[in-house]
Amino acid sequence: MSALVSNTVSKADSGSVSIKLIQCSKTFGNGAPALEPIDLEVHPGETLVLLGPSGCGKTTTLRMIAGLEFPDAGGRILFGDEDVTDLPIERRGVGMVFQSYALFPNMTVGENIAYGLRIRGIAAAERLTRIDDLLELVQLQGFAQRRIDQLSGGQKQRVALARALAVEPRVLLLDEPLTALDAKLRESLRADLNSLLRKLGITAIYVTHDQGEAMALGDRIVVMERGRIAQIGSPQEIYYQPANLFVADFIGNMNRISGAVQDGQLQTVAGTLALPEQQTPLQHGAQATAMFRPEDVQLAVPDGSGEGLDGCIMSSFFMGDRTRLMIDVGQALPIIVDASGRVSWHAGERVNLRIAPQAMLGVLPSPTDNQGVPS
Ligand SMILES: Nc1ncnc2c1ncn2[C@@H]1O[C@H](COP(=O)(O)OP(=O)(O)OP(=O)(O)O)[C@@H](O)[C@H]1O
Ligand SMILES: [Mg+2]
């Protein structure tokens, strides 16, 4: 593997390239813009994940970076200092991996991987060496002569990755490459991909709608919503400091409970919660909504102390690593709680819920049209 990193994909040595999108919007036909003007910078060697629901503009952004789509007039794309806005894909030095593999079915694994090298006139002997290096890199040693239809989905995706890397791209672009695979395979290939991207140090943009994949792979994550960037940040920032309710809801589950602020506490229908200290404290008597994650709730048998929330378990799902509980606290939406799978909780049981003030991700004045989450 190290041979390949130094000989074939000498990315880390040659210096990774940054990518900059400046005011790039995209309007197809006469329709509404698929992408609003966005500014985005990808650091050299970074894996940046574009995450968001279907139709939010992830693929469009990726295809603009690839040179398969061009931004509306005025938008610019830079690789390092080079303006690539008007360059077609073959002159940008990008490698792409798609959900659908897009391999040549009539060629062997080796021929697929070497396709780009052949086009570039690389000699046969060197092609064979590179094929061996790349097969080792993606852990498919000995597969060079296999036909594509004799491969599993995971193996096909490894070949697609090797083919994308064969031409020593400046930038690796991946559009939902693991979505077609079953859950277990997806997880193991995700781990392999993660170590590969770190080893190569190549600037990579990875598109997914799966938040787990985004968290696991991204140095930073761009959360997109309807053609706009909702937030850019590290996985931890996105999870623990969501910029707005859309991000908070899209990334994992988020509980909400409303009440009145009194002496640093929130008085709710189900009891009192201590509020975190806020930069701009809410006024005594103000209505507010607190938000917290399912795993940040401590459950206990009610002790009548009046602290925390009292509720009743509506349902309990054992999920192996945890038990997910839906708890009725007397408001329209139940509170979701992830408890240890080792403790049994049953529907109908009364419970007390405590949330440490520092585990509250946001306390919003309510009712509100302000979507911000104060830190
Ligand atoms: N060639 C096209 N012509 C017209 N509209 C398009 C075209 N490509 C994409 N769109 C529209 O642009 C918007 C963004 O599409 P895009 O493919 O970027 O979404 P996405 O985030 O990748 O979604 P998904 O998760 O479903 O792949 C969508 O509303 C889509 O219908
Ligand atoms: Mg897409």
Side-chain angles (χ1 to χ4, degrees), residues 197-217:
L197 289 172
R198 319 251 148 233
K199 193 162 292 182
L200 296 177
I202 190 166
T203 307
I205 304 185
Y206 189 102
V207 163
T208 182
H209 60 262
D210 179 322
Q211 51 128 342
E213 216 163 277
M215 296 276 161
L217 286 172

Side-chain angles (χ1 to χ4, degrees), residues 144-207:
Q145 301 308 322
R146 277 280 186 105
R147 285 194 356 226
I148 297 302
D149 61 8
Q150 294 169 336
L151 299 177
S152 71
Q155 288 166 343
K156 281 183 194 160
Q157 204 49 296
R158 287 172 196 272
V159 174
L161 186 61
R163 187 182 61 178
L165 291 170
V167 294
E168 300 181 55
R170 292 194 281 180
V171 169
L172 185 62
L173 304 172
L174 307 108
D175 194 351
E176 311 238 15
L178 306 182
T179 307
L181 309 175
D182 70 62
K184 199 124 193 232
L185 188 56
R186 201 157 61 213
E187 209 163 298
S188 80
L189 207 51
R190 178 171 89 190
D192 292 347
L193 198 53
N194 195 18
S195 54
L196 187 65
L197 289 172
R198 319 251 148 233
K199 193 162 292 182
L200 296 177
I202 190 166
T203 307
I205 304 185
Y206 189 102
V207 163

Side-chain angles (χ1 to χ4, degrees), residues 199-275:
K199 193 162 292 182
L200 296 177
I202 190 166
T203 307
I205 304 185
Y206 189 102
V207 163
T208 182
H209 60 262
D210 179 322
Q211 51 128 342
E213 216 163 277
M215 296 276 161
L217 286 172
D219 293 311
R220 288 187 305 151
I221 297 173
V222 178
V223 184
M224 297 182 66
E225 178 193 15
R226 283 184 281 138
R228 291 199 180 91
I229 294 176
Q231 186 172 4
I232 304 179
S234 67
Q236 288 82 0
E237 283 165 347
I238 299 280
Y239 195 78
Y240 288 116
Q241 293 157 41
N244 55 42
L245 290 178
F246 171 80
V247 177
D249 280 335
F250 190 74
I251 310 287
N253 289 287
M254 185 66 90
N255 289 302
R256 290 179 208 170
I257 190 156
S258 302
V261 176
Q262 273 175 23
D263 303 325
Q265 295 191 313
L266 190 68
Q267 306 285 347
T268 77
V269 283
T272 358
L273 287 178
L275 291 175

Side-chain angles (χ1 to χ4, degrees), residues 65-81:
I65 295 167
L68 290 167
E69 302 283 359
F70 294 91
D72 296 342
R76 288 174 64 215
I77 301 176
L78 305 181
F79 284 7
D81 294 331

Side-chain angles (χ1 to χ4, degrees), residues 352-372:
N352 179 257
L353 294 74
R354 302 277 176 97
I355 303 105
Q358 63 271 21
M360 281 189 204
L361 301 191
V363 182
L364 299 168
S366 64
T368 178
D369 56 4
N370 168 15
Q371 297 272 295

